[in-house]
Coordinates of all heavy atoms in Angstrom, one line a residue:
M1 N -43.0 -12.2 25.2 CA -41.8 -13.1 25.4 C -41.5 -12.9 26.9 O -41.3 -11.9 27.4 CB -40.6 -12.6 24.5 CG -39.5 -13.6 24.5 SD -38.1 -13.0 23.6 CE -38.6 -13.5 21.9
D2 N -41.4 -14.1 27.6 CA -41.1 -14.0 29.0 C -39.6 -14.1 29.2 O -38.8 -14.2 28.3 CB -41.9 -15.1 29.8 CG -41.5 -16.5 29.3 OD1 -40.9 -16.6 28.2 OD2 -41.8 -17.5 30.0
M3 N -39.2 -14.1 30.5 CA -37.8 -14.1 30.8 C -37.0 -15.3 30.4 O -35.8 -15.2 30.0 CB -37.6 -13.9 32.3 CG -36.2 -13.6 32.8 SD -35.5 -12.2 32.0 CE -35.8 -11.0 33.3
D4 N -37.6 -16.5 30.5 CA -36.9 -17.7 30.1 C -36.6 -17.8 28.6 O -35.5 -18.1 28.1 CB -37.8 -19.0 30.4 CG -37.9 -19.2 31.9 OD1 -37.0 -18.7 32.6 OD2 -38.9 -19.8 32.4
N5 N -37.6 -17.4 27.8 CA -37.4 -17.3 26.3 C -36.3 -16.3 25.9 O -35.5 -16.5 25.0 CB -38.7 -17.0 25.6 CG -39.7 -18.2 25.6 OD1 -39.3 -19.3 25.9 ND2 -40.9 -17.9 25.4
S6 N -36.3 -15.1 26.6 CA -35.4 -14.1 26.3 C -33.9 -14.6 26.7 O -33.0 -14.3 25.9 CB -35.7 -12.8 27.1 OG -36.9 -12.3 26.8
A7 N -33.8 -15.3 27.8 CA -32.5 -15.7 28.2 C -32.0 -16.8 27.2 O -30.8 -16.8 26.9 CB -32.5 -16.3 29.6
V8 N -32.8 -17.7 26.8 CA -32.4 -18.7 25.8 C -32.1 -18.1 24.5 O -31.0 -18.4 23.8 CB -33.6 -19.7 25.6 CG1 -33.3 -20.7 24.5 CG2 -33.8 -20.5 26.9
F9 N -32.8 -17.1 24.0 CA -32.5 -16.4 22.8 C -31.2 -15.6 22.9 O -30.4 -15.7 21.9 CB -33.6 -15.4 22.5 CG -33.4 -14.6 21.2 CD1 -33.6 -15.2 20.0 CD2 -33.0 -13.3 21.2 CE1 -33.4 -14.5 18.8 CE2 -32.7 -12.6 20.1 CZ -33.0 -13.2 18.8
L10 N -30.9 -15.0 24.0 CA -29.6 -14.3 24.2 C -28.5 -15.3 24.2 O -27.4 -15.0 23.5 CB -29.6 -13.5 25.5 CG -28.3 -12.7 25.8 CD1 -28.0 -11.7 24.8 CD2 -28.4 -12.1 27.2
A11 N -28.6 -16.4 24.9 CA -27.5 -17.4 25.0 C -27.3 -18.0 23.6 O -26.1 -18.2 23.2 CB -27.9 -18.4 26.0
A12 N -28.4 -18.3 22.9 CA -28.2 -18.9 21.5 C -27.6 -17.9 20.6 O -26.7 -18.3 19.7 CB -29.6 -19.3 21.0
S13 N -27.9 -16.6 20.7 CA -27.3 -15.6 19.8 C -25.8 -15.5 20.0 O -25.0 -15.4 19.1 CB -28.0 -14.3 20.0 OG -29.3 -14.3 19.7
I14 N -25.4 -15.5 21.3 CA -24.0 -15.4 21.6 C -23.2 -16.6 21.2 O -22.2 -16.5 20.6 CB -23.8 -15.2 23.2 CG1 -24.4 -13.8 23.5 CG2 -22.4 -15.3 23.6 CD1 -24.4 -13.5 25.0
L15 N -23.8 -17.8 21.4 CA -23.2 -19.0 21.0 C -23.1 -19.2 19.5 O -22.1 -19.7 18.9 CB -23.9 -20.2 21.6 CG -23.7 -20.4 23.1 CD1 -24.5 -21.5 23.6 CD2 -22.2 -20.6 23.5
M16 N -24.1 -18.7 18.8 CA -24.1 -18.7 17.3 C -23.0 -17.8 16.8 O -22.2 -18.1 15.8 CB -25.4 -18.3 16.7 CG -26.5 -19.4 16.9 SD -26.2 -20.8 15.8 CE -26.5 -20.1 14.2
G17 N -22.9 -16.6 17.3 CA -21.8 -15.7 16.9 C -20.4 -16.2 17.2 O -19.5 -16.2 16.3
L18 N -20.2 -16.8 18.4 CA -18.9 -17.4 18.7 C -18.6 -18.6 17.7 O -17.5 -18.8 17.3 CB -18.9 -17.9 20.1 CG -18.8 -16.8 21.2 CD1 -18.9 -17.4 22.6 CD2 -17.5 -16.0 21.0
G19 N -19.7 -19.4 17.4 CA -19.5 -20.5 16.5 C -19.1 -20.0 15.1 O -18.2 -20.6 14.5
F20 N -19.7 -19.0 14.6 CA -19.3 -18.4 13.3 C -17.8 -17.9 13.3 O -17.1 -18.1 12.3 CB -20.2 -17.3 12.8 CG -21.6 -17.8 12.4 CD1 -22.7 -17.1 12.8 CD2 -21.7 -18.8 11.5 CE1 -24.0 -17.6 12.4 CE2 -22.9 -19.3 11.1 CZ -24.1 -18.6 11.5
I21 N -17.4 -17.3 14.4 CA -16.1 -16.8 14.5 C -15.1 -18.0 14.5 O -14.1 -18.0 13.8 CB -15.9 -16.0 15.8 CG1 -16.7 -14.6 15.7 CG2 -14.4 -15.7 16.1 CD1 -16.7 -13.8 16.9
V22 N -15.4 -19.1 15.2 CA -14.5 -20.2 15.3 C -14.4 -20.9 13.9 O -13.3 -21.3 13.5 CB -15.0 -21.2 16.4 CG1 -14.3 -22.6 16.2 CG2 -14.8 -20.7 17.7
V23 N -15.6 -21.0 13.2 CA -15.5 -21.6 11.9 C -14.7 -20.7 10.9 O -13.9 -21.3 10.1 CB -17.0 -21.8 11.3 CG1 -17.0 -22.1 9.8 CG2 -17.7 -22.9 12.1
G24 N -14.8 -19.4 11.0 CA -14.1 -18.5 10.1 C -12.6 -18.6 10.4 O -11.7 -18.7 9.5
I25 N -12.2 -18.6 11.7 CA -10.8 -18.8 12.0 C -10.2 -20.1 11.6 O -9.1 -20.2 11.0 CB -10.6 -18.6 13.5 CG1 -10.8 -17.1 13.9 CG2 -9.2 -19.0 14.0 CD1 -10.8 -16.8 15.3
T26 N -11.0 -21.2 11.7 CA -10.6 -22.5 11.3 C -10.4 -22.6 9.8 O -9.4 -23.1 9.3 CB -11.6 -23.6 11.7 OG1 -11.9 -23.5 13.1 CG2 -11.2 -25.0 11.3
I27 N -11.3 -22.0 9.0 CA -11.1 -21.9 7.6 C -9.8 -21.2 7.2 O -9.0 -21.7 6.3 CB -12.3 -21.3 6.9 CG1 -13.5 -22.2 7.0 CG2 -12.1 -20.9 5.4 CD1 -14.8 -21.6 6.6
I28 N -9.5 -20.1 7.8 CA -8.3 -19.3 7.5 C -7.1 -20.1 7.9 O -6.1 -20.1 7.1 CB -8.4 -17.9 8.2 CG1 -9.5 -17.1 7.5 CG2 -7.0 -17.2 8.1 CD1 -9.7 -15.7 8.2
V29 N -7.1 -20.7 9.0 CA -5.9 -21.5 9.4 C -5.6 -22.6 8.5 O -4.5 -22.8 8.1 CB -6.1 -21.9 10.9 CG1 -5.0 -23.0 11.3 CG2 -6.0 -20.8 11.9
L30 N -6.7 -23.4 8.2 CA -6.5 -24.5 7.2 C -6.0 -24.0 5.8 O -5.2 -24.6 5.2 CB -7.8 -25.3 7.1 CG -8.2 -26.1 8.3 CD1 -9.5 -26.8 8.1 CD2 -7.1 -27.2 8.6
N31 N -6.6 -22.9 5.4 CA -6.2 -22.4 4.1 C -4.7 -21.9 4.1 O -4.0 -22.2 3.1 CB -7.1 -21.2 3.7 CG -6.9 -20.8 2.3 OD1 -6.3 -21.5 1.5 ND2 -7.4 -19.7 1.9
N32 N -4.3 -21.3 5.2 CA -2.9 -20.9 5.3 C -2.0 -22.1 5.4 O -0.8 -22.0 5.0 CB -2.7 -19.9 6.4 CG -3.3 -18.5 6.1 OD1 -3.4 -18.2 4.9 ND2 -3.7 -17.8 7.1
L33 N -2.4 -23.2 6.0 CA -1.6 -24.4 6.1 C -1.4 -25.0 4.7 O -0.3 -25.5 4.4 CB -2.2 -25.4 7.1 CG -2.2 -25.1 8.5 CD1 -3.0 -26.1 9.3 CD2 -0.7 -25.0 9.0
F34 N -2.4 -25.0 3.9 CA -2.3 -25.5 2.6 C -2.0 -24.5 1.5 O -2.3 -24.7 0.3 CB -3.6 -26.3 2.2 CG -3.8 -27.4 3.1 CD1 -4.9 -27.4 4.0 CD2 -3.0 -28.5 3.2 CE1 -5.1 -28.5 4.9 CE2 -3.2 -29.6 4.0 CZ -4.3 -29.6 4.9
A35 N -1.4 -23.3 1.9 CA -1.2 -22.3 1.0 C -0.2 -22.7 -0.1 O 0.0 -22.0 -1.1 CB -0.7 -21.0 1.7
K36 N 0.5 -23.8 0.1 CA 1.5 -24.3 -0.9 C 0.7 -24.6 -2.2 O 1.3 -24.4 -3.3 CB 2.2 -25.5 -0.4 CG 3.1 -26.2 -1.3 CD 3.7 -27.4 -0.6 CE 4.7 -28.1 -1.5 NZ 5.3 -29.3 -0.9
Y37 N -0.5 -24.9 -2.1 CA -1.3 -25.4 -3.3 C -2.2 -24.3 -3.9 O -2.6 -24.4 -5.0 CB -2.1 -26.6 -2.9 CG -1.3 -27.7 -2.3 CD1 -1.3 -28.0 -1.0 CD2 -0.4 -28.4 -3.1 CE1 -0.6 -29.0 -0.4 CE2 0.4 -29.4 -2.6 CZ 0.3 -29.7 -1.2 OH 1.1 -30.7 -0.7
W38 N -2.5 -23.3 -3.1 CA -3.3 -22.2 -3.6 C -3.1 -20.9 -2.8 O -2.5 -21.0 -1.7 CB -4.8 -22.5 -3.7 CG -5.5 -22.8 -2.3 CD1 -5.9 -21.9 -1.4 CD2 -5.7 -24.1 -1.8 NE1 -6.4 -22.5 -0.3 CE2 -6.3 -23.9 -0.5 CE3 -5.5 -25.4 -2.2 CZ2 -6.7 -24.9 0.3 CZ3 -5.9 -26.4 -1.4 CH2 -6.5 -26.2 -0.1
K39 N -3.5 -19.8 -3.3 CA -3.3 -18.5 -2.6 C -4.1 -18.4 -1.3 O -5.2 -18.8 -1.2 CB -3.7 -17.4 -3.5 CG -3.3 -16.0 -3.0 CD -3.7 -15.0 -4.0 CE -3.4 -13.6 -3.4 NZ -3.7 -12.5 -4.2
P40 N -3.4 -18.0 -0.2 CA -4.1 -17.8 1.1 C -5.3 -16.8 1.0 O -5.2 -15.8 0.2 CB -3.1 -17.4 2.1 CG -1.8 -17.5 1.4 CD -2.0 -17.6 -0.1
V41 N -6.3 -17.0 1.8 CA -7.4 -16.0 1.9 C -7.0 -14.9 2.7 O -6.5 -15.1 3.8 CB -8.6 -16.7 2.4 CG1 -9.8 -15.7 2.6 CG2 -9.1 -17.8 1.6
E42 N -7.2 -13.7 2.2 CA -6.9 -12.5 3.0 C -8.2 -11.7 3.1 O -8.7 -11.2 2.1 CB -5.9 -11.6 2.3 CG -4.5 -12.3 2.3 CD -3.5 -11.5 1.6 OE1 -3.8 -10.3 1.2 OE2 -2.4 -12.0 1.3
W43 N -8.8 -11.6 4.3 CA -10.0 -10.9 4.5 C -9.7 -9.5 5.1 O -8.9 -9.3 6.0 CB -10.9 -11.6 5.5 CG -11.5 -12.9 5.0 CD1 -11.4 -13.3 3.7 CD2 -12.2 -13.9 5.7 NE1 -12.1 -14.5 3.6 CE2 -12.6 -14.9 4.8 CE3 -12.6 -14.0 7.0 CZ2 -13.3 -16.0 5.1 CZ3 -13.3 -15.1 7.3 CH2 -13.7 -16.1 6.4
S44 N -10.3 -8.5 4.5 CA -10.2 -7.2 4.9 C -11.4 -6.3 4.6 O -12.1 -6.6 3.6 CB -8.9 -6.5 4.3 OG -8.8 -5.2 4.6
L45 N -11.7 -5.4 5.4 CA -12.8 -4.5 5.2 C -12.5 -3.4 4.2 O -13.3 -2.8 3.6 CB -13.3 -3.9 6.5 CG -13.9 -4.9 7.5 CD1 -14.2 -4.2 8.8 CD2 -15.1 -5.6 7.0
I46 N -11.1 -3.2 4.0 CA -10.7 -2.1 3.1 C -10.3 -2.8 1.8 O -9.5 -3.7 1.8 CB -9.5 -1.4 3.7 CG1 -9.8 -0.8 5.1 CG2 -8.9 -0.3 2.8 CD1 -8.7 -0.3 5.9
P47 N -10.8 -2.3 0.7 CA -10.4 -2.9 -0.6 C -8.9 -2.7 -0.9 O -8.3 -1.8 -0.4 CB -11.2 -2.1 -1.7 CG -12.3 -1.5 -0.9 CD -11.8 -1.3 0.5
E48 N -8.4 -3.7 -1.7 CA -6.9 -3.7 -2.0 C -6.5 -2.4 -2.8 O -5.4 -1.9 -2.5 CB -6.6 -4.9 -2.8 CG -5.1 -5.1 -3.1 CD -4.8 -6.3 -3.8 OE1 -5.6 -7.2 -4.0 OE2 -3.6 -6.5 -4.2
A49 N -7.4 -1.9 -3.6 CA -7.0 -0.7 -4.4 C -6.8 0.5 -3.5 O -5.9 1.3 -3.7 CB -8.1 -0.4 -5.4
I50 N -7.5 0.6 -2.4 CA -7.4 1.7 -1.4 C -6.2 1.4 -0.5 O -5.4 2.4 -0.2 CB -8.7 1.9 -0.6 CG1 -9.8 2.3 -1.5 CG2 -8.5 2.9 0.5 CD1 -11.1 2.4 -0.8
R51 N -5.9 0.2 -0.1 CA -4.8 -0.1 0.7 C -3.5 0.2 0.1 O -2.5 0.6 0.7 CB -4.8 -1.6 1.1 CG -5.8 -1.9 2.3 CD -5.6 -3.3 2.7 NE -6.3 -4.2 1.8 CZ -6.0 -5.4 1.5 NH1 -5.0 -6.0 2.1 NH2 -6.7 -6.1 0.6
N52 N -3.4 -0.1 -1.2 CA -2.1 0.1 -2.0 C -1.9 1.5 -2.5 O -0.9 1.8 -3.2 CB -2.0 -0.9 -3.1 CG -1.9 -2.3 -2.5 OD1 -1.5 -2.5 -1.4 ND2 -2.3 -3.3 -3.3
Y53 N -2.9 2.4 -2.3 CA -2.9 3.7 -2.9 C -2.0 4.7 -2.0 O -2.2 4.7 -0.8 CB -4.3 4.3 -3.0 CG -4.3 5.7 -3.6 CD1 -4.1 5.9 -4.9 CD2 -4.5 6.8 -2.8 CE1 -4.2 7.2 -5.5 CE2 -4.6 8.1 -3.3 CZ -4.4 8.3 -4.6 OH -4.4 9.5 -5.2
T54 N -1.1 5.3 -2.7 CA -0.3 6.3 -2.0 C -0.4 7.6 -2.7 O -0.3 7.7 -3.9 CB 1.2 5.9 -1.9 OG1 1.7 5.7 -3.2 CG2 1.4 4.7 -1.1
Y55 N -0.7 8.7 -1.9 CA -1.0 10.0 -2.5 C 0.4 10.7 -2.7 O 1.2 10.8 -1.8 CB -1.9 10.8 -1.7 CG -2.1 12.2 -2.2 CD1 -2.9 12.4 -3.3 CD2 -1.5 13.3 -1.6 CE1 -3.1 13.7 -3.8 CE2 -1.6 14.6 -2.1 CZ -2.4 14.8 -3.2 OH -2.6 16.0 -3.8
T56 N 0.6 11.2 -3.9 CA 1.8 11.9 -4.2 C 1.4 13.3 -4.6 O 0.5 13.5 -5.4 CB 2.7 11.3 -5.2 OG1 1.9 11.1 -6.4 CG2 3.2 9.9 -4.8
Q57 N 2.1 14.3 -4.1 CA 1.9 15.7 -4.5 C 2.2 15.9 -6.0 O 3.2 15.3 -6.5 CB 2.7 16.6 -3.7 CG 2.3 16.7 -2.3 CD 1.1 17.6 -2.1 OE1 0.5 18.2 -3.0 NE2 0.6 17.8 -0.9
P58 N 1.5 16.6 -6.8 CA 1.9 16.9 -8.2 C 3.2 17.7 -8.2 O 3.4 18.6 -7.4 CB 0.7 17.7 -8.8 CG 0.0 18.2 -7.6 CD 0.2 17.3 -6.4
R59 N 4.0 17.4 -9.1 CA 5.3 18.1 -9.2 C 5.3 19.1 -10.4 O 5.0 18.7 -11.5 CB 6.5 17.1 -9.4 CG 7.8 17.8 -9.4 CD 8.9 16.7 -9.6 NE 10.2 17.3 -9.6 CZ 10.7 17.9 -10.7 NH1 10.0 18.0 -11.8 NH2 11.9 18.5 -10.7
F60 N 5.6 20.4 -10.1 CA 5.6 21.4 -11.1 C 7.1 21.7 -11.5 O 7.9 21.8 -10.6 CB 4.9 22.7 -10.6 CG 3.5 22.4 -10.3 CD1 3.0 22.3 -9.0 CD2 2.5 22.3 -11.3 CE1 1.7 22.1 -8.7 CE2 1.2 22.1 -11.1 CZ 0.8 22.0 -9.8
D61 N 7.3 21.9 -12.7 CA 8.7 22.2 -13.2 C 9.0 23.6 -12.9 O 8.2 24.6 -13.0 CB 8.8 22.0 -14.7 CG 8.7 20.5 -15.1 OD1 9.0 19.7 -14.2 OD2 8.3 20.3 -16.2
D62 N 10.3 23.9 -12.5 CA 10.8 25.2 -12.3 C 11.2 25.8 -13.6 O 11.4 25.0 -14.6 CB 12.0 25.2 -11.3 CG 11.6 24.8 -9.9 OD1 10.4 25.0 -9.6 OD2 12.4 24.2 -9.2
Q63 N 11.4 27.1 -13.6 CA 11.8 27.7 -14.9 C 13.2 27.2 -15.4 O 13.3 27.1 -16.6 CB 11.9 29.3 -14.7 CG 12.0 30.1 -16.0 CD 10.9 29.9 -17.0 OE1 9.8 29.6 -16.6 NE2 11.2 30.0 -18.2
H64 N 14.1 27.0 -14.5 CA 15.4 26.5 -15.0 C 15.4 25.1 -15.6 O 16.3 24.7 -16.3 CB 16.5 26.6 -13.9 CG 16.3 25.6 -12.8 ND1 15.4 25.9 -11.7 CD2 16.8 24.4 -12.6 CE1 15.4 24.8 -10.9 NE2 16.3 23.9 -11.4
E65 N 14.4 24.4 -15.2 CA 14.2 23.0 -15.8 C 13.6 23.1 -17.2 O 13.8 22.2 -18.0 CB 13.4 22.1 -14.9 CG 14.1 21.8 -13.5 CD 13.2 21.1 -12.6 OE1 11.9 21.0 -12.9 OE2 13.7 20.6 -11.6
I66 N 12.8 24.1 -17.4 CA 12.1 24.2 -18.7 C 13.1 24.8 -19.8 O 13.0 24.3 -21.0 CB 10.9 25.2 -18.6 CG1 9.9 24.5 -17.6 CG2 10.3 25.4 -20.0 CD1 8.7 25.4 -17.3
E67 N 14.0 25.7 -19.4 CA 14.9 26.3 -20.4 C 15.8 25.2 -20.9 O 16.2 24.3 -20.2 CB 15.7 27.4 -19.7 CG 14.8 28.6 -19.3 CD 15.5 29.6 -18.4 OE1 16.7 29.3 -18.1 OE2 14.9 30.6 -18.1
P68 N 16.2 25.4 -22.2 CA 17.1 24.4 -22.8 C 18.5 24.5 -22.1 O 19.0 25.5 -21.8 CB 17.2 24.7 -24.3 CG 16.8 26.1 -24.3 CD 15.8 26.4 -23.2
K69 N 19.1 23.3 -22.0 CA 20.5 23.3 -21.5 C 21.5 23.6 -22.5 O 21.4 23.2 -23.7 CB 20.8 21.8 -21.0 CG 19.8 21.3 -20.0 CD 20.1 21.8 -18.6 CE 19.3 21.1 -17.5 NZ 18.0 21.6 -17.3
I70 N 22.5 24.5 -22.1 CA 23.5 24.9 -23.1 C 24.8 24.1 -22.7 O 25.3 24.1 -21.5 CB 23.8 26.4 -23.0 CG1 22.6 27.2 -23.3 CG2 25.0 26.8 -23.9 CD1 22.7 28.6 -23.0
P71 N 25.3 23.3 -23.6 CA 26.5 22.5 -23.3 C 27.7 23.4 -23.1 O 27.8 24.4 -23.7 CB 26.6 21.6 -24.5 CG 25.9 22.2 -25.6 CD 24.8 23.0 -25.0
P72 N 28.6 23.0 -22.2 CA 29.8 23.8 -22.0 C 30.7 23.8 -23.2 O 30.8 22.7 -23.9 CB 30.5 23.2 -20.8 CG 30.0 21.8 -20.7 CD 28.6 21.9 -21.3
V73 N 31.4 24.9 -23.5 CA 32.3 25.0 -24.6 C 33.7 25.2 -24.1 O 34.0 26.1 -23.3 CB 32.0 26.1 -25.6 CG1 32.9 26.2 -26.7 CG2 30.5 25.9 -26.1
M74 N 34.7 24.3 -24.5 CA 36.0 24.4 -24.0 C 36.8 25.3 -25.0 O 36.8 25.0 -26.2 CB 36.7 23.0 -23.9 CG 35.9 22.1 -22.9 SD 35.9 22.7 -21.2 CE 37.6 22.5 -20.8
D75 N 37.6 26.2 -24.5 CA 38.5 27.0 -25.3 C 39.7 26.2 -25.7 O 40.2 25.4 -24.9 CB 39.0 28.3 -24.6 CG 37.8 29.3 -24.4 OD1 36.8 29.2 -25.1 OD2 37.9 30.0 -23.4
K76 N 40.1 26.4 -27.0 CA 41.3 25.6 -27.4 C 42.6 26.3 -26.9 O 43.6 25.6 -26.7 CB 41.3 25.5 -28.9 CG 40.1 24.6 -29.4 CD 40.2 24.3 -30.8 CE 39.0 23.4 -31.2 NZ 39.1 22.8 -32.4
A77 N 42.5 27.6 -26.8 CA 43.7 28.3 -26.3 C 43.7 28.4 -24.8 O 42.6 28.5 -24.2 CB 43.7 29.8 -26.8
P78 N 44.8 28.3 -24.1 CA 44.8 28.3 -22.6 C 44.4 29.7 -22.1 O 44.6 30.7 -22.8 CB 46.2 28.0 -22.2 CG 47.0 28.2 -23.4 CD 46.1 28.0 -24.6
N79 N 43.8 29.7 -20.9 CA 43.4 31.0 -20.3 C 44.7 31.9 -20.1 O 45.7 31.4 -19.7 CB 42.7 30.7 -19.0 CG 41.9 31.9 -18.5 OD1 42.2 33.0 -19.0 ND2 41.1 31.7 -17.6
E80 N 44.5 33.2 -20.3 CA 45.7 34.1 -20.2 C 46.1 34.2 -18.8 O 47.3 34.3 -18.5 CB 45.3 35.5 -20.8 CG 45.0 35.5 -22.2 CD 44.6 36.9 -22.7 OE1 44.7 37.8 -21.9 OE2 44.2 37.0 -23.9
K81 N 45.2 34.2 -17.8 CA 45.6 34.3 -16.4 C 46.4 33.1 -16.0 O 47.4 33.2 -15.2 CB 44.4 34.5 -15.5 CG 43.6 35.8 -15.7 CD 42.4 35.9 -14.8 CE 41.7 37.2 -15.1 NZ 40.5 37.4 -14.3
L82 N 46.0 32.0 -16.4 CA 46.8 30.8 -16.0 C 48.1 30.7 -16.7 O 49.1 30.2 -16.2 CB 45.9 29.5 -16.4 CG 44.7 29.3 -15.5 CD1 43.9 28.1 -16.1 CD2 45.0 29.1 -14.1
A83 N 48.2 31.3 -18.0 CA 49.4 31.2 -18.7 C 50.5 32.2 -18.1 O 51.7 31.9 -18.2 CB 49.2 31.6 -20.1
K84 N 50.1 33.3 -17.4 CA 51.0 34.2 -16.8 C 51.7 33.6 -15.6 O 52.8 34.0 -15.2 CB 50.3 35.5 -16.5 CG 49.9 36.3 -17.7 CD 49.2 37.6 -17.3 CE 48.8 38.4 -18.5 NZ 48.1 39.6 -18.2
K85 N 51.1 32.7 -14.9 CA 51.7 32.2 -13.7 C 52.8 31.3 -13.9 O 53.6 30.9 -14.5 CB 50.6 31.4 -12.9 CG 49.6 32.3 -12.3 CD 48.6 31.4 -11.5 CE 47.6 32.3 -10.8 NZ 46.7 31.6 -10.0

């Protein structure tokens, strides 16, 4: 391959790449303009399941959370210390 063929191949490769980029952007813009009629296209290299995943630490119960709760009991007679005052 001589220099002329190499230069033409390089220029054609660059122009083809730019053409694909322009066509892709045009499709996305037109789709977003008409999004009223269908869902817009969202292109991403990261899958949606990974994008929406949030890691949460596992939560362990403390001993006081495991023990049963004892409801408070109200005395019917007034407290002696309060009655003396």
Side-chain angles (χ1 to χ4, degrees):
M1 189 181 279
D2 59 346
M3 187 60 98
D4 292 335
N5 289 342
S6 300
V8 169
F9 180 77
L10 177 63
S13 299
I14 292 172
L15 291 175
M16 287 289 291
L18 290 174
F20 286 134
I21 291 171
V22 168
V23 168
I25 291 173
T26 304
I27 290 171
I28 290 175
V29 167
L30 289 175
N31 190 13
N32 287 333
L33 287 175
F34 297 114
K36 178 180 178 181
Y37 305 107
W38 63 82
K39 184 178 179 184
V41 174
E42 295 177 6
W43 289 353
S44 176
L45 298 176
I46 302 170
E48 185 177 350
I50 295 174
R51 279 187 282 152
N52 294 335
Y53 179 75
T54 56
Y55 177 73
T56 56
Q57 290 279 2
R59 183 178 179 280
F60 298 102
D61 291 335
D62 293 330
Q63 187 63 28
H64 69 277
E65 294 175 347
I66 296 172
E67 295 171 356
K69 304 278 190 278
I70 300 172
V73 177
M74 300 297 291
D75 293 334
K76 295 191 178 190
N79 194 346
E80 294 176 11
K81 292 181 180 177
L82 292 176
K84 290 181 181 178
K85 288 185 180 181

